[in-house]
Amino acid sequence: MENYIGTLLAVGGIVLFFVLAIVIALYVIESFALYTLAKNNGQQDKAILAWIPFVNQGFYGFLAGDQNIFGTNVQGIILGVLMIIFPIVTARVSGFLFYIVALCGITVAYFTLNGLYKKMNRSGDPTVVAVVCAIIPLVRIIYVFIHRNDIFEEEAVVVE
């Protein structure tokens, strides 16, 4: 019996190690992509924020800038704060409230990511990608990493 428990703990430890290694690798990839994107678009002084945990999620809102959400102009900094808050709140609530908060978080993520992806010069129509990225964070990380060298465009004018 003790042999099984030791084996189970060893296997659990190995699995935990690999899961943590993947999470850390994804964090580094996402932070590097956001850092490069910010530096390439004239935000050298703020680019370091991409490496701070949780703040880097809010950095998406900062890079996206002001967005029109359901007829209301929402500042990019507010979107960034909401991108940080909604995942934390979603993890703390349960029941029906969980679904309401999660839906609000996905909506904010969609508008933030859609605004950011519209600025990227090679992203094409970002609507479908923004929906998928708002629901599946792994896709967001890969997409931002692929487009890390893009230069932002606003209304056909390159932002510098």
Side-chain angles (χ1 to χ4, degrees):
M1 183 67 173
E2 290 177 19
N3 210 7
Y4 293 120
I5 293 174
T7 303
L8 186 61
L9 287 174
V11 169
I14 292 170
V15 169
L16 180 63
F17 173 78
F18 281 113
V19 168
L20 287 175
I22 290 170
V23 168
I24 290 170
L26 290 173
Y27 170 77
V28 168
I29 289 169
E30 182 178 32
S31 296
F32 175 72
L34 283 172
Y35 179 80
T36 305
L37 194 60
K39 284 193 70 143
N40 289 343
N41 289 286
Q43 302 295 333
Q44 291 86 353
D45 57 329
K46 296 173 186 79
I48 196 69
L49 296 175
W51 293 98
I52 301 172
F54 297 107
V55 172
N56 65 355
Q57 297 305 304
F59 203 53
Y60 283 101
F62 173 76
L63 291 175
D66 297 354
Q67 299 298 314
N68 187 350
I69 300 177
F70 302 122
T72 304
N73 192 33
V74 180
Q75 294 178 345
I77 193 73
I78 293 173
L79 289 173
V81 169
L82 292 175
M83 288 283 288
I84 295 169
I85 290 174
F86 273 117
I88 294 169
V89 173
T90 303
R92 303 274 187 247
V93 297
S94 61
F96 184 70
L97 187 59
F98 168 82
Y99 296 105
I100 299 296
V101 173
L103 185 60
C104 290
I106 289 170
T107 303
V108 167
Y110 163 74
F111 281 107
T112 302
L113 296 173
N114 192 39
L116 175 62
Y117 298 162
K118 282 181 182 176
K119 289 182 171 184
M120 294 178 175
N121 63 354
R122 297 186 320 245
S123 66
D125 182 20
T127 306
V128 174
V129 174
V131 169
V132 174
C133 290
I135 297 169
I136 306 169
L138 179 61
V139 176
R140 179 192 70 225
I141 293 167
I142 293 168
Y143 189 79
V144 170
F145 185 77
I146 290 170
H147 290 277
R148 71 188 178 278
N149 292 317
D150 283 7
I151 304 298
F152 289 164
E153 295 179 0
E154 290 190 49
E155 299 175 19
V157 176
V158 177
V159 176
E160 300 211 27

